[in-house]
Every structure is written in structure tokens, then in C-alpha cells.
Amino acid sequence: MAVGTNSARHAADEEARAEVDVLNSRLEKTTQLTKKIQACLGRLDATGKSVHDVAGPLNGETKKLQVLSHNIDSVIAAIERLRQPADSKNDEEQIIRMGPDKAGLSNYLASIKRLSKALNDMKASNLRSTQQTVAELQRLVKSGHTQLENSFDKVLRSETPRAIEPLHYITKDKQFPILSQDKIVRLGLMNSYVSGVHRQSAGTGAPQESPVAKIYAEIRSQYLAQTLGNLAAASTNTAKKKNADAIYRAGTNGIGTYAQAMEGLFLSEYENICNIFMREDWGPVFQATCQPSLVELGRTLRELNSHIKTHMNTDCYLAYEIVEIVSSLSNNLEERTGELKSSLAASLKPVRETAKSSLAELLEDTKRRVTSLQMLPSDGAPIPVISETMQRLQSMVDFLRPISSIMISIGDGGWKSAAASRGGVTDAIPSLSSFDIGADGKEIFAHYCADTIEALMVALDGRARVLLQKKPVIGVFLANSVTIIERMIQASELAGLLESRLQVLEQWRKKATAMYTETCRDLSVYLFDVIHTSRGQRPTSGQGAVDSASILKSLGSKDKENIKAKFQAFNTGFDEMVLRHKQFSMEREVRQMFAKDMQNMIEPLYNRFWDRYHEIDKGKGKYVKFDKSAIAAVFLSLY
């Protein structure tokens, strides 16, 4: 059993040795193969280096040959291009000589572009042999540009009338005419090319107006100026007055129609410009085209301003109207075009300054007219300056929009000195929002009206004290003035504006009443009694019915004589007061107001006095001229 086991182990060992021998044999073959591969790689690397050393110079030479070949091709192409203009020059010259009208604008522009490209190529080559051809091409290109500008001029003039009748478009609310679409397309093509060439030639220098822009501005500006010329003249002519004292009424001057036509024409012209020119040219071309018309507008406004200054009291309203009209024109144009605001502001400046200064000047003129009076009506009748001043304020309400903007610009109370109203204020045209009559504008205007009324009343009071002197007639004069002022306020749109400021009139009414009723106070002295009874007993007063006979019995002879004298003095003074009241010139409201005041002051006192002492002459009427019903009738007649 042990022998069998050993033989089996020996067989396994032999089998393992045989496998190891096989693996060793294979490993040896692999090692040999690796060595052979390494030898081959070494020989291949040496061969590659040899090839690289040989191919490097060959590759460089090949590249040089490629560059040379490309240069030769370029030279050949340049020669061909140089030969081509010379070969086609006669054909292009024929097109140029035909002009854009006969050759067709597109064909003509294409020919000029080809000539310009050929000219640039030849200039870039700088070959002496092409100098003659360059000169000929320059001549052709210049001729082409000139003919193109002439064609632009011709087409534009054919579409531009000398002038049109602006009222035809205004009255029918029609848009002012613009250029026809086919002409716009044609002019736009010509401008596009000419402007492009002009910009290239200008380079980086200061921008200059293109030739066609100058042509356009020259032709169309004449058309605008001619069309607006009659309206400019009408604006100055309608300012002339048949009646020197007539107050200007809104809309009676031609400036409104003038501005309306200008706005319509300018907007149509701007539409033309936008359709023909490039965006960066719109503003400059529009400014240049409108400039002659704006110069004429400035001249017209200066002439109107001179007229307004000469007739400030009656025509200051025209200045307010012009401020609103031209400001609206400016704002509308700026909104639609973004242009002309500064030009229109410069044109409006003289009138706007006059409008601002007029507020202070009119206030001073009111004072000056009153203080220069050498005579006042002796019966207290009102004078024309009162109604004229109020009429001026009434008229101002019709121009409240522009006046509001002016007053806001000078500030509340800025009219109190002419210097303040002229200085420290921007000349810029006000925005549309400043013409909205808001609470501020109304309040400032109401303050101005109140200041004017107060200044008028102070001046009237001062002059009346000097010229009339007597208080009753001064009272009548002032009361008449207050009544006329109040009546004219209530009868106009001033009522709503001055509703909260009428206390100034109430103060003057009280002052006038106090002056007029001073006579009543003098008369009332006669109706007060100081009684000395013989038995030291005071007569009854206000205790039931009064017995006049009993009271008189209790008086001494001296007291009775005193009562008689009081009745007589009262009768004389009362008759004079009644006569004077009837002789005074009073407004109906004033007469009734004073009559009521007189009755309220005197009648109760007289009735009391009469009740106590009417038996002094036992009904003979020698001392007691009026009984209670009689004096009541007299008072009633005073109304």
C-alpha cells in the first residue's frame, strides 16, 4: 500500500516538471522575439530620421512655390482689373452722358458705383501707367455726381410749387401736401448715394451738410416762406386799431391762423425729410428748411411787440394770446419732431417779456391815472377809470391759461415791481402742463385781481380826500366805486375766482358808510335829551305808552325852550341831509344802502323823541315838523 502511494506522487511530480519546461521554453522564445522587435524599431527610427532630413527642405520649397504662384495669380487678376475699366470706360461714359433721366436712375447709380470702385482700385495700385485713366475716371465720376445733384434739384423743383393757399387746408382741416411717393423714392435713392459719398470724402473731420441737403433746404425753405408770407403780414395788419380805445378781443388777430398754418406746413415738411434723408440728417435738414420762415416769424413778433407796448392798456391781451399760441406751436412741434424749440423761444422772447412786465405796468398805470386826476365829480359820481380797470380784469379771464403760466413764472406777488417781473426768469418756452389752469394759477390770478382792486381803492380814497374833502361826498364816491367793482365781478367769471377775496370790498364799503353817515351822527345829537325836572323826578322812558303832555308839564321853561331848539335844529339839518341825499349821484344799490343806514340810525331816535315831546307846539307844526308817519315817508322816499 505504501509502495502504491509513492509511485503516484512520483508520477505527479514528473507531470509538473514537464509543464515547467514547456513554460520556460515559451518564455525564451518570447524574449528572443522582443529583442528582434526592438531591433526593427531602432532601424525604423533611423530610416524615419533620414526621411525627415530629406523631406524638410522639400516642404519649404513647396511652400515658397505656392506663395509665388498665389502672387502671380494676384498680379494677373490686378492686371485684368486694371485693364477692365479702361476697356469698359467708353460704355460707362455713355451712361453718364445720358444722365439719370434717360439712362434710368438705377442703371445710372450702378454705373457711378462701378466707376468709383474702378477709380479706387487704380488709385490703390499707384501705377504710373494708369495715371491718365485715373484722371479720366475722376472726370467721369465728378460729372456723374454733378448730374445726380442737378437731377435731384430738377425733380424737387418740379414737385414744389412757388406757394400754396394755407387757408384752404386750415378751413377744411386737411393735411398740408407732401411730395408724391414716386418722387420721394427717387429723391431718397439719389440722397442715399450722394450722402454716402459725401460722408466717405469727409472722413473723420467735422460733419458738413451734403450737397443734396443744401439743395433741399434752399428749394423747400422758399416754398414755406412764400406760403406763410401773407399770413405774417395779416398778423401785423390785424393788430392795427380803428378805435384806439378798443380792448383787444381773443382771436381777432391773425397770429392764431399764422401759427396753425406754420405747424401744418412744418409737420408735412418733416414727413418729407424723414422719407428722403437718413435719420441723422432729419434734424439739421429740418432746421435749415424752416429757418427763413422762423426769421420772418421773429420779425413779425417783434413788430407786434412794438404795437403792444404802444397800446399796453388795451392790447396787453394780445401779448398773452401770442405767448399761448407760440408756446403751443413750439410744444407740438417738439413733440412730433424734437426740433425748433430753442428757435421759437428766441422768437417769442420779446413778447413774453412784455407780457410779464405788463402785469406790474398795468397796476402802476391804474395808480398813476387816479393820482393824476385834477377833478372829481362834486356829486360823488363814479369815474371811468373804475369800470375800465375792472373791464381789464374781466378781459384777463379770457386769457387765464397764458396769464397763469406767466404768473407762475414770475411768482406770487412778482407783479408788485416791474423789475421783479422782468428779471431772474428763464426764457425757455413753458411746457404744455404749465398752461393747465390749476389751483395755483387761479389763486395767483385772484391775488393779482385783489391787489389791483385794493390799489385802485387806495388811490381813489387818497385823491377824493384831496379833491372832494367833505366826508359825505367822499363816502358816496367810494361807495359808488365799491358797488361798480362788485357788480362787474358778479357779472363775469371773476365771481368764482374772487369769491373768497371780497372782504376787501366789504372793508371799503364800511369805510364809505361811516363817512356818509357822519351827518346822521351829528343829527342824532339833537334827539338826545338831558332833562332837569322841578321835583327831581326823572321822566319815565320805555314804560308803556308815553304821555307827552305829562312829560312837558314836568319840565321847566328853560328845558322846554331847549326842546324847541332841538326840534328846529333837527328839522333844518334833516331837510339839508335829505336834499343832499337826493342831489348826490348814487348807484341804485348805494342809494338804498345809505337810505337804510340813515333810517336805522335816525328814525328810532326821532320816534322816541317825538313820543316824548311832540306836544311842545300842540300840533301846530311850528317846531314839530314831522310826525312818525311823515318822517317814515321821507325815509321811504330816500330809497
Side-chain angles (χ1 to χ4, degrees):
M1 187 70 180
V3 174
T5 301
N6 291 333
S7 63
R9 185 181 296 116
H10 180 74
D13 291 339
E14 286 299 327
E15 186 178 354
R17 288 189 188 97
E19 288 179 357
V20 170
D21 290 340
V22 171
L23 288 173
N24 287 333
S25 176
R26 288 180 180 178
L27 180 60
E28 186 178 353
K29 288 179 181 180
T30 300
T31 302
Q32 290 174 356
L33 182 60
T34 300
K35 289 179 180 180
K36 287 180 181 180
I37 290 172
Q38 287 178 343
C40 288
L41 287 174
R43 288 193 299 272
L44 183 61
D45 184 59
T47 303
K49 183 179 285 187
S50 300
V51 171
H52 180 269
D53 293 340
V54 173
L58 291 176
N59 185 48
E61 292 298 325
T62 301
K63 288 184 178 179
K64 291 179 181 179
L65 290 174
Q66 288 176 341
V67 172
L68 178 60
S69 175
H70 178 73
N71 290 340
I72 291 171
D73 291 340
S74 298
V75 171
I76 292 173
I79 292 172
E80 288 299 322
R81 288 196 301 271
L82 292 174
R83 287 179 58 191
Q84 187 178 359
D87 295 339
S88 62
K89 180 174 68 66
N90 293 335
D91 295 336
E92 304 292 4
E93 185 174 4
Q94 184 177 1
I95 294 174
I96 297 300
R97 286 183 176 178
M98 288 174 65
D101 295 335
K102 293 183 179 180
L105 182 58
S106 298
N107 188 30
Y108 187 84
L109 290 174
S111 176
I112 294 182
K113 290 177 182 178
R114 289 193 295 270
L115 287 172
S116 298
K117 186 177 184 303
L119 177 60
N120 291 334
D121 290 341
M122 283 195 169
K123 285 182 176 180
S125 69
N126 199 25
L127 296 176
R128 185 176 300 176
S129 60
T130 62
Q131 287 183 355
Q132 182 177 354
T133 305
V134 168
E136 291 177 357
L137 289 177
Q138 284 179 327
R139 177 182 56 80
L140 282 177
V141 170
K142 184 177 180 181
S143 174
H145 291 169
T146 301
Q147 288 195 63
L148 204 57
E149 293 168 14
N150 291 340
S151 179
F152 187 95
D153 185 293
K154 180 180 177 181
V155 171
L156 188 59
R157 287 187 188 278
S158 69
E159 281 287 296
T160 303
R162 184 175 181 274
I164 60 173
E165 177 47 65
L167 294 178
H168 170 76
Y169 299 92
I170 293 175
T171 55
K172 296 185 177 181
D173 196 24
K174 294 174 62 177
Q175 181 188 5
F176 281 83
I178 60 174
L179 300 173
S180 60
Q181 188 60 37
D182 61 324
K183 295 300 190 293
I184 283 178
V185 172
R186 189 174 181 84
L187 293 170
L189 286 172
M190 288 188 279
N191 169 72
S192 179
Y193 176 78
V194 174
S195 296
V197 171
H198 182 72
R199 284 185 174 83
Q200 289 177 1
S201 62
T204 59
Q208 296 178 353
E209 190 177 16
S210 74
V212 292
K214 291 180 181 178
I215 293 170
Y216 185 94
E218 178 185 352
I219 294 173
R220 298 297 290 184
S221 64
Q222 293 176 3
Y223 152 72
L224 295 178
Q226 290 289 342
T227 298
L228 293 170
N230 288 338
L231 293 179
S235 298
T236 55
N237 290 336
T238 51
K240 296 176 182 177
K241 303 162 71 71
K242 294 181 180 179
N243 181 1
D245 296 328
I247 293 179
Y248 177 78
R249 297 299 176 190
T252 54
N253 185 264
I255 188 67
T257 304
Y258 184 19
Q260 190 177 355
M262 180 173 287
E263 181 178 342
L265 280 166
F266 282 8
L267 289 177
S268 291
E269 204 58 40
Y270 188 72
E271 184 175 343
N272 289 333
I273 290 169
C274 292
N275 289 330
I276 294 172
F277 294 91
M278 298 181 191
R279 179 65 184 87
E280 59 267 27
D281 294 330
W282 293 354
V285 175
F286 185 55
Q287 288 272 5
T289 305
C290 298
Q291 190 58 35
S293 298
L294 293 174
V295 170
E296 179 61 20
L297 173 66
R299 186 200 63 77
T300 301
L301 293 183
R302 287 193 299 274
E303 191 169 338
L304 288 173
N305 188 53
S306 298
H307 168 84
I308 293 167
K309 286 185 171 182
T310 306
H311 305 87
M312 182 68 82
N313 284 333
T314 57
D315 284 8
C316 60
Y317 317 101
L318 176 57
Y320 310 144
E321 185 174 66
I322 291 173
V323 168
E324 180 175 15
I325 288 173
V326 178
S327 297
S328 297
L329 169 65
S330 174
N331 288 316
N332 292 343
L333 289 174
E334 186 189 28
E335 182 180 351
R336 298 280 296 276
T337 70
E339 303 292 338
L340 304 184
K341 185 165 187 176
S342 59
S343 298
L344 287 168
S347 298
L348 180 60
K349 182 179 178 181
V351 177
R352 184 168 173 77
E353 291 300 315
T354 297
K356 283 155 53 180
S357 64
S358 69
L359 300 171
E361 290 182 22
L362 292 173
L363 194 57
E364 291 301 317
D365 181 71
T366 298
K367 301 175 186 176
R368 186 167 52 249
R369 290 179 64 189
V370 174
T371 54
S372 65
L373 292 172
Q374 299 301 314
M375 183 183 299
L376 288 176
S378 59
D379 59 358
I383 56 178
V385 69
I386 302 167
S387 58
E388 290 168 2
T389 301
M390 293 309 300
Q391 189 177 15
R392 187 176 73 233
L393 295 179
Q394 286 178 336
S395 299
M396 281 184 170
V397 178
D398 295 334
F399 303 90
L400 191 53
R401 277 167 54 89
I403 288 177
S404 176
S405 76
I406 292 168
M407 287 186 167
I408 289 173
S409 71
I410 66 175
D412 193 2
W415 54 80
K416 292 183 179 179
S417 71
S421 64
R422 284 193 295 265
V425 182
T426 177
D427 297 324
I429 287 215
S431 64
L432 285 174
S433 60
S434 70
F435 285 95
D436 295 335
I437 309 174
D440 290 343
K442 287 184 176 181
E443 190 64 23
I444 295 175
F445 178 70
H447 185 186
Y448 176 77
C449 292
D451 277 2
T452 300
I453 293 170
E454 178 66 17
L456 174 63
M457 291 303 303
V458 168
L460 291 173
D461 179 52
R463 205 63 189 148
R465 289 176 184 274
V466 173
L467 298 177
L468 298 178
Q469 297 182 348
K470 295 181 179 180
K471 288 185 178 182
V473 68
I474 295 175
V476 172
F477 179 70
L478 293 179
N480 281 336
S481 303
V482 169
T483 299
I484 290 174
I485 291 172
E486 188 171 41
R487 185 190 301 155
M488 294 186 73
I489 289 174
Q490 298 299 340
S492 69
E493 294 182 26
L494 288 170
L497 293 169
L498 298 179
E499 183 177 1
S500 62
R501 296 180 179 267
L502 293 180
Q503 65 271 18
V504 64
L505 291 179
E506 189 59 35
Q507 293 170 1
W508 281 104
R509 185 182 288 109
K510 289 179 179 179
K511 188 173 184 178
T513 301
M515 286 186 170
Y516 186 77
T517 57
E518 189 170 280
T519 302
C520 297
R521 290 193 293 272
D522 294 340
L523 281 177
S524 65
V525 173
Y526 301 126
L527 303 178
F528 293 112
D529 50 352
V530 179
I531 304 301
H532 303 281
T533 61
S534 58
R535 290 178 290 275
Q537 183 180 1
R538 185 176 185 275
T540 59
S541 175
Q543 300 175 0
V546 178
D547 186 353
S548 177
S550 298
I551 293 174
L552 288 172
K553 284 181 181 180
S554 65
L555 300 179
S557 59
K558 186 176 180 181
D559 289 330
K560 290 180 181 179
E561 291 300 320
N562 189 32
I563 294 298
K564 293 177 183 178
K566 285 179 178 288
F567 268 114
Q568 288 179 322
F570 174 82
N571 293 338
T572 302
F574 185 72
D575 287 342
E576 291 177 356
M577 184 184 72
V578 170
L579 179 62
R580 188 166 55 242
H581 180 83
K582 293 180 178 180
Q583 288 176 340
F584 282 136
S585 176
M586 299 183 190
E587 297 294 313
R588 181 178 57 84
E589 301 92 331
V590 174
R591 189 171 297 280
Q592 293 179 354
M593 177 184 71
F594 282 165
K596 184 177 181 180
D597 291 334
M598 292 162 63
Q599 186 174 13
N600 290 340
M601 291 181 68
I602 294 176
E603 188 175 27
L605 294 174
Y606 183 82
N607 288 344
R608 170 191 169 280
F609 198 78
W610 185 90
D611 285 339
R612 295 175 65 82
Y613 306 117
H614 67 275
E615 290 292 336
I616 194 72
D617 62 358
K618 303 185 184 301
K620 296 178 181 178
K622 182 177 180 181
Y623 303 108
V624 185
K625 184 176 181 180
F626 307 100
D627 61 16
K628 289 196 286 187
S629 61
I631 200 166
V634 173
F635 280 121
L636 186 62
S637 70
L638 299 182
Y639 284 83

